[in-house]
């Protein structure tokens, strides 16, 4: 288990842990069967004319998983706060892993789940405001059963 | 806080620290009394004597004859040597029966044998990790060359009914091999009573050095060597003997012989007090392994709603060293094959933790764990989406 100092810091002191009541968007990815599960809750500053420019004003998460999973969720939550929805959907797993000064190769899937769970929450929001057209363009969590 | 710097080693099933008395016995054989036991000069004869003395101690511990012991580099080599050696020494029989919860030293060897045309059958286990004897009775036949079932499981500590298994194997003339790496030096072993033909053991699991072990093979059991070369170990294991290691193994056997009974009792007390303490402080934990029939030092638990590696890392921060059957710690994406074979659900297998106690643990170690562990669980459950309160 070779984790960077940043991973250990976010793991030991995770930021933005919790839930948001009546969240604007909720997204889950992973499965306890595989050992990792993350749920993100978003509060979103709306932009009716162009929802892609709407901003994430608040984010909370809960995670079941290894040290890397908890660190990824915490770091990703920091990274997307204040970002527009289009910026969030353009994010990749490497962005989070790089920000954490790297992850062991076998833990890269944790990084994937983190980004996908947030994008799933964005998708959820877009659907809630009736923009299935925009939601459909976001990949989100590929296989919810897995 | 004052405990923070003290480390508490509770990973004795992974390896035990060598006993200082063992190290002391070994030291002269690195330099002062160093010689090749095959040399006929005085120094060589003294090295030979040391090896043979260790052999006697080992034979006394497992109740076998000295000419039935073969020193190896450890448990993994012994398992390989037993399984491959038995298979390659004959050509009539092609079936090998093992269990779903064996150590990888046995399972991966069996996978390899499968590639070479042998039929491999893995017996299932019950919820406690006991091998299904009815399955074995049906599976063993006249084609079966070997039955290989471990004495005690390294993850959950469950002790297998070797005598019954040996009888089943012998009904059809199969060889019975047992990986006793976790039991030698910890519980009494009598090869005759247990009906075992081949027994693997390893020094570093009972306070001896790493990199030395033995395969014990009953007279009349045919096997081919794994290493070919010189005449060492009666032509069965070529290579200059690891004299300091073998001396250390012998010393570890001797200490275990005299201290096993009292030690087993005190280790069991430590383990049970840890389990009682954890149960009192933490809800929704389950014990993995047989409630009674298991190694005195093994406590394997699953903590609901949280994952093993995150518990381990937090314990590590407090200087507590344990292990887990979570996929995160195995280097693979699958949780422990042992827990899954026992029917433990995947999430609980990921949430498993093994504390293994040994000779050098104290009540204070246990108190330290009981002091910090509940806080760790509380913190991780607060983050967990599976935990609804
Ligand atoms: C049951 C069992 N078999 C085999 C081994 C391998 O022994 P060694 O580390 O001496 O090769 C171990 C320990 O790692 C074990 O616990």
């Amino acid at each position: 288990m070779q984790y960077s100092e940043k991973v250990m810091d976010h793991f030991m002191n995770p930021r933005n842990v919790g839930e948001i009541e009546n969240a604007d968007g909720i997204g889950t990815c992973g499965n306890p069967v595989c050992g990792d599960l993350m749920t993100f809750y978003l509060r979103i500053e709306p932009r009716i004319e162009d929802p892609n420019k709407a901003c994430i004003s608040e984010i909370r998460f809960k995670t079941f998983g290894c040290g890397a999973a908890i660190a990824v969720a915490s770091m990703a939550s920091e990274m997307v706060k204040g970002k527009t929805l289009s910026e969030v959907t353009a994010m990749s797993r490497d962005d989070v892993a790089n920000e954490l000064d790297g992850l062991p190769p076998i833990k890269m899937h944790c990084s994937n789940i983190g980004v996908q769970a947030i994008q799933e929450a964005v998708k959820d929001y877009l659907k809630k405001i009736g923009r299935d057209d925009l939601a459909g363009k976001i990949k989100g969590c590929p296989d919810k059963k897995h | 806080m004052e405990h923070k710097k003290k480390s508490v080693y509770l990973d004795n099933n992974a390896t035990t620290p060598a006993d200082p008395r063992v190290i002391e016995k070994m030291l002269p054989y690195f330099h002062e009394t160093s010689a090749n036991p095959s040399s006929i000069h005085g120094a060589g004869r003294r090295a030979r004597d040391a090896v043979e003395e260790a052999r006697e101690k080992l034979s006394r511990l497992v109740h076998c004859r000295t000419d039935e012991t073969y020193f190896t580099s450890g448990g993994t080599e012994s398992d390989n040597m037993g399984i491959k050696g038995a298979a390659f020494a004959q050509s009539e029989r092609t079936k090998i029966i093992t269990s779903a919860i064996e150590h990888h030293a046995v399972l991966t060897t069996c996978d390899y044998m499968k590639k070479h045309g042998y039929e491999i059958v893995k017996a299932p286990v019950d919820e406690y990790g006991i091998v299904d004897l009815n399955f074995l009775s049906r599976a063993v036949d006249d084609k079966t060359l070997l039955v290989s079932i471990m004495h005690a499981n390294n993850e959950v500590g469950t002790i297998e009914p070797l005598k019954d298994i040996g009888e089943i194997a012998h009904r059809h003339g199969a060889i019975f091999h047992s990986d006793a790496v976790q039991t030698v030096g910890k519980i009494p072993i009598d090869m005759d009573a247990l009906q075992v033909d081949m027994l693997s053991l390893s020094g570093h699991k009972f306070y001896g050095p790493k990199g030395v072990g033995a395969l014990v093979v009953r007279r009349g059991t045919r096997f081919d060597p794994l290493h070919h070369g010189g005449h060492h170990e009666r032509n069965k294991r070529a290579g200059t003997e690891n004299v300091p290691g073998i001396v250390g193994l012998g010393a570890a056997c001797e200490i275990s012989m005299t201290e096993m009974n009292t030690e087993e009792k005190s280790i069991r007390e430590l383990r049970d007090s840890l389990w009682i303490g954890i149960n009192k402080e933490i809800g929704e934990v389950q014990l993995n392994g047989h409630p009674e029939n298991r190694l005195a030092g093994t406590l394997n638990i699953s903590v609901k709603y949280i994952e093993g590696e995150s518990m381990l890392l937090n314990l590590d921060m407090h200087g507590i060293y344990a292990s887990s059957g979570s996929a995160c710690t195995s280097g693979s994406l699958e949780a422990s094959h042992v827990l899954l074979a026992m029917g433990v659900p995947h999430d609980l297998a990921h949430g498993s933790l093994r504390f293994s106690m040994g000779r050098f643990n104290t009540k204070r170690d246990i108190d330290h764990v009981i002091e910090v562990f509940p806080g760790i669980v509380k913190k991780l459950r607060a983050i967990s989406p599976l935990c609804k309160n």
Side-chain angles (χ1 to χ4, degrees):
Chain A
M1 278 180 302
Q2 286 302 343
Y3 286 143
S4 70
E5 262 176 51
K6 259 197 193 159
V7 171
M8 285 311 290
D9 175 35
H10 276 265
F11 166 63
M12 289 306 286
N13 311 292
R15 290 42 151 185
N16 306 312
V17 171
E19 298 176 10
I20 297 176
E21 232 177 287
N22 303 317
D24 298 320
I26 301 177
T28 292
C29 200
N31 187 320
V33 169
C34 311
D36 295 300
L37 179 75
M38 299 183 196
T39 302
F40 282 88
Y41 301 83
L42 306 180
R43 175 81 64 222
I44 286 165
E45 202 73 49
R47 272 285 200 102
I48 308 299
E49 68 292 356
D50 187 1
N52 276 329
K53 290 221 170 68
C55 274
I56 294 179
S57 58
E58 201 187 338
I59 180 163
R60 290 275 182 273
F61 76 86
K62 287 215 161 175
T63 296
F64 166 87
C66 58
I70 292 171
V72 158
S74 168
M75 176 56 92
S77 73
E78 291 267 88
M79 288 169 70
V80 303
K81 216 196 272 179
K83 289 245 166 76
T84 65
L85 300 193
S86 58
E87 283 170 326
V88 171
T89 39
M91 249 170 80
S92 79
R93 66 176 194 177
D94 292 336
D95 297 334
V96 182
N98 289 341
E99 212 49 47
L100 283 167
D101 294 338
L103 281 175
I106 194 141
K107 301 296 168 84
M108 281 306 284
H109 76 281
C110 293
S111 194
N112 230 354
I113 292 172
V115 172
Q116 287 165 347
I118 294 178
Q119 291 173 351
E120 198 61 38
V122 169
K123 221 169 146 163
D124 179 51
Y125 165 72
L126 290 171
K127 278 186 191 158
K128 273 184 188 154
I129 62 165
R131 295 300 301 265
D132 292 53
D133 56 328
L134 297 175
K137 291 190 185 129
I138 299 173
K139 273 215 204 82
C141 191
D143 182 359
K144 287 205 182 164
K145 284 183 295 306
H146 198 70
Chain B
M1 288 304 269
E2 98 240 32
H3 281 301
K4 259 207 151 153
K5 285 194 186 66
K6 186 178 172 288
S7 68
V8 173
Y9 185 79
L10 292 172
D11 203 10
N12 286 278
N13 285 16
T15 191
T16 52
D19 193 302
R21 293 169 290 180
V22 166
I23 300 170
E24 198 187 324
K25 289 268 167 52
M26 291 171 68
L27 286 176
Y29 294 94
F30 285 101
H31 186 89
E32 292 131 74
T33 329
S34 169
N36 192 320
S38 300
S39 300
I40 59 162
H41 47 64
R45 290 199 301 275
R46 277 192 291 282
R48 167 63 52 210
D49 289 346
V51 168
E52 296 315 314
E53 196 186 316
R55 201 184 299 285
E56 270 165 34
K57 289 173 182 168
L58 170 60
S59 325
R60 275 201 291 277
L61 183 65
V62 301
H63 292 90
C64 68
R65 298 166 47 114
T66 50
D67 62 5
E68 294 174 320
T69 62
Y70 303 89
F71 289 119
T72 66
S73 64
T76 302
E77 186 189 331
S78 300
D79 287 340
N80 272 270
M81 186 163 144
I83 296 167
K84 293 175 189 168
F88 296 153
Q90 54 85 56
S91 55
E92 304 84 45
R93 297 177 180 231
T94 51
K95 187 164 162 184
I96 298 172
I97 297 173
T98 185
S99 83
I101 61 163
E102 297 298 309
H103 189 271
H104 285 118
V106 167
L107 285 182
T108 313
T109 302
C110 287
D111 291 344
Y112 173 79
M113 296 307 280
K114 191 172 175 181
K115 270 199 346 202
H116 286 266
Y118 292 88
E119 182 190 353
I120 306 295
V121 177
K122 290 179 191 162
V125 297
D126 68 11
E127 60 188 306
Y128 302 120
I130 302 268
V131 170
D132 185 339
L133 294 180
N134 289 328
F135 179 96
L136 278 184
S137 299
R138 287 192 305 271
V140 180
D141 56 18
D142 294 342
K143 275 294 198 197
T144 306
L145 74 94
L146 182 82
V147 176
S148 178
I149 306 282
M150 68 201 321
H151 195 187
N153 180 268
N154 45 303
E155 290 188 33
V156 295
T158 298
I159 298 170
E160 302 297 339
L162 291 197
K163 182 171 171 285
D164 299 337
I165 299 167
E167 278 166 8
I168 294 170
H170 292 153
R171 247 181 253 154
H172 293 272
I175 296 170
F176 180 33
H177 166 256
S178 184
D179 176 339
V181 166
Q182 289 292 342
T183 51
V184 170
K186 295 181 196 159
I187 59 175
I189 289 181
D190 181 326
M191 302 256 312
D192 272 333
L194 293 178
Q195 300 266 331
V196 176
D197 304 307
M198 291 177 145
L199 186 97
S200 298
L201 62 108
S202 178
H204 73 103
K205 305 286 186 180
F206 63 110
Y207 317 100
K210 294 171 190 41
V212 64
L215 180 68
V216 182
V217 184
R218 295 330 303 259
R219 283 175 121 197
T221 302
R222 281 167 57 208
F223 75 107
D224 273 5
L226 204 57
H227 295 187
H228 298 88
H231 298 298
H232 317 86
E233 298 296 287
R234 303 175 303 288
N235 293 320
K236 290 298 196 185
R237 203 280 187 176
T240 299
E241 296 85 344
N242 169 8
V243 181
I246 291 169
V247 168
L249 180 67
C253 290
E254 191 172 31
I255 296 169
S256 284
M257 279 281 278
T258 53
E259 300 182 2
M260 187 186 290
N261 286 337
T262 44
E263 187 168 285
E264 215 240 359
K265 241 179 95 203
S266 63
I267 290 176
R268 187 182 296 276
E269 272 169 26
L270 288 182
R271 181 199 67 192
D272 290 344
S273 70
L274 178 57
W275 175 228
I276 290 166
I278 286 175
N279 245 312
K280 212 162 84 190
E281 301 289 329
I282 303 168
E284 302 194 86
V285 281
Q286 75 169 42
L287 177 75
N288 299 318
H290 199 284
E292 286 104 35
N293 269 337
R294 79 180 199 280
L295 290 172
T298 308
L299 181 65
N300 189 311
I301 60 173
S302 282
V303 184
K304 275 197 185 165
Y305 313 125
I306 56 180
E307 189 276 337
E309 191 207 55
S310 55
M311 286 188 269
L312 281 189
L313 290 171
N314 273 287
L315 287 167
D316 188 31
M317 291 279 175
H318 290 275
I320 298 168
Y321 307 141
S323 81
S324 166
S326 147
C328 284
T329 59
S330 70
S332 77
L333 291 175
E334 269 286 310
S336 151
H337 68 285
V338 175
L339 296 177
L340 296 180
M342 286 163 56
V344 175
H346 279 85
D347 53 336
L348 288 182
H350 287 298
S352 72
L353 208 54
R354 180 188 72 187
F355 297 105
S356 47
M357 277 124 277
R359 182 175 291 167
F360 302 109
N361 289 118
T362 62
K363 186 74 176 63
R364 279 198 60 194
D365 294 343
I366 303 307
D367 291 344
H368 183 41
V369 177
I370 294 172
E371 208 175 282
V372 304
F373 188 48
I376 292 170
V377 171
K378 200 168 161 215
K379 177 180 139 182
L380 291 170
R381 280 184 172 168
I383 309 180
S384 172
L386 304 175
C387 197
K388 289 303 169 206
N389 33 44

